[in-house]
Amino acid sequence: MTDTKNANQDGSPQIEKKPVSWSNIGVGAVLNLSEVTTLGQPFEVMKTTMAANRDLSLIGSIKHIFSRGGFKGFYQGLIPWGWIEAATKGSVLLPVSTEAEYRLKLLGCDPFLAGIGGGMTGGVAQAYLTMGFCTCMKTAEITRKKDVGPEGKAPKTTWEVFKGIYKKDGIRGINRGVNAVALRQCTNWGTRFGVSRLAEEAIRKFRNKSDGQRLSPYEKILASVIGGAISAWNQPIEVVRVEMQSRTPDPNRPKNLSVWQTMKYVYKTNGIRGLYRGATPRICLGIWQTVFMVCFGDYAKEYLANRNQKNVI
């Protein structure tokens, strides 16, 4: 996060960076854990179910999820994979995006472009550093069969599934679809940060506030809602990611598909609508995530920076 309350000699706002500390990293983890444990995982399960079972409507997907475990069915994959992913990707996003956004502003980028660049950099870092195997295993939990076998044998536990995938395909198996995850996260957070910053500037103009002037909590949340909703434009990438990681039986699906080959397969089997299955819960998820990580994240970083400054003084 940057602050522009001071001015240069020419009158232009001076760009100051809030210091990134271990506290910022911890805040990112806590925010992401809070997001996923509340409404984040139910939205995740709904949009993944629709993307993997593209014949299901939103109501149909809710019934399908409920049949797999009642209310707990909406939290499939949360423990341990959702929590591991949330704690690690949250701790990566805030410091990386903050540093990238600050550097881009120093180069002369406006808040919109700096926000896009910061979000894209943080999203790619998330995917390759922390998210690969967690996303793969969450999708496996949501899409695999959990019925009792014909001999009364209980379905495999999540750790047994993990070990089976690793034994069969190694590191590449538990990270299948990571390139699609990186593409999704890059476009996700580039859009969320960029559009949220653009919305903040528009709100300032509408409310006759000066550049860099503090927005009210409601205005910050509104800007994050706009950024989160618009970020769902990349739903085809998310459908491709789910298809690559899905364990829903499909005898017609070729093996070892690339991102582009998977996109062509989904389009061939379900048309353009298939590439947008799960868009509604994805919009809700995008809003929820952006409010936590952009709006609440800004306030948390500002609070920690002010507290640290007081301790120094």
Side-chain angles (χ1 to χ4, degrees):
M1 182 180 177
T2 56
D3 190 2
T4 59
K5 62 183 179 181
N6 297 322
N8 296 313
Q9 292 181 353
D10 61 0
S12 61
Q14 182 179 352
I15 299 171
E16 298 178 358
K17 184 178 71 168
K18 301 297 185 185
V20 177
S21 64
W22 288 107
S23 299
N24 293 110
I25 295 173
V27 163
V30 170
L31 286 174
N32 232 112
L33 281 168
S34 301
E35 173 269 315
V36 74
T37 306
T38 50
L39 294 179
Q41 190 64 15
F43 287 139
E44 175 77 23
V45 172
M46 282 189 280
K47 59 104 170 169
T48 300
T49 298
M50 293 182 70
N53 304 275
R54 292 181 292 278
D55 58 329
L56 290 178
S57 64
L58 178 59
I59 299 299
S61 69
I62 292 173
K63 292 179 179 178
H64 175 77
I65 295 165
F66 195 80
S67 71
R68 286 166 58 88
F71 180 74
K72 290 183 179 179
F74 291 91
Y75 286 89
Q76 296 171 90
L78 176 63
I79 304 173
W81 312 113
W83 278 358
I84 295 173
E85 180 187 82
T88 53
K89 76 177 184 179
S91 63
V92 168
L93 178 67
L94 288 188
V96 172
S97 62
T98 296
E99 183 67 22
E101 191 171 358
Y102 169 67
R103 296 295 174 183
L104 287 168
K105 284 186 176 181
L106 288 182
L107 293 174
C109 293
D110 61 24
F112 173 58
L113 292 178
I116 289 177
M120 290 176 68
T121 306
V124 171
Q126 278 185 327
Y128 287 116
L129 292 178
T130 69
M131 290 182 64
F133 76 94
C134 290
T135 302
C136 183
M137 290 308 302
K138 280 199 310 179
T139 305
E141 280 301 293
I142 295 169
T143 59
R144 71 184 177 97
K145 284 191 172 183
K146 296 184 179 179
D147 300 331
V148 176
E151 300 178 357
K153 187 176 181 180
K156 293 181 179 179
T157 66
T158 186
W159 290 109
E160 288 173 337
V161 174
F162 178 83
K163 291 176 182 178
I165 295 173
Y166 182 78
K167 183 177 181 180
K168 180 180 178 182
D169 298 311
I171 294 294
R172 294 186 65 180
I174 60 175
N175 280 281
R176 180 171 288 118
V178 69
N179 290 332
V181 174
L183 187 58
R184 183 197 70 179
Q185 291 303 102
C186 177
T187 51
N188 268 0
W189 289 110
T191 302
R192 289 169 183 173
F193 274 93
V195 174
S196 294
R197 301 306 184 212
L198 185 64
E200 287 174 6
E201 294 304 306
I203 291 171
R204 283 192 180 94
K205 291 180 180 178
F206 181 76
R207 299 298 297 270
N208 294 318
K209 293 185 176 182
S210 60
D211 291 343
Q213 186 175 350
R214 186 183 181 89
L215 296 178
S216 71
Y218 296 109
E219 291 168 339
K220 288 283 291 184
I221 290 174
L222 175 60
S224 294
V225 167
I226 294 171
I230 293 177
S231 70
W233 69 267
N234 65 355
Q235 182 64 10
I237 301 172
E238 173 64 0
V239 173
V240 167
R241 192 275 304 171
V242 171
E243 185 65 24
M244 293 180 74
Q245 297 177 339
S246 174
R247 300 185 71 81
T248 300
D250 184 355
N252 298 317
R253 183 198 300 133
K255 295 183 178 180
N256 301 319
L257 292 174
S258 66
V259 172
W260 178 244
Q261 289 171 334
T262 305
M263 184 168 288
K264 291 198 294 184
Y265 171 72
V266 173
Y267 179 78
K268 181 180 177 180
T269 55
N270 299 101
I272 192 67
R273 293 184 64 182
L275 290 169
Y276 284 91
R277 298 301 293 170
T280 299
R282 175 81 189 290
I283 289 172
C284 296
L285 177 61
I287 291 172
W288 195 246
Q289 289 179 334
T290 308
V291 168
F292 269 85
M293 300 309 294
V294 178
C295 176
F296 295 169
D298 281 352
Y299 280 122
K301 287 185 290 183
E302 183 178 6
Y303 169 77
L304 289 173
N306 292 336
R307 190 184 68 174
N308 291 338
Q309 190 175 29
K310 289 180 181 178
N311 291 336
V312 171
I313 295 173

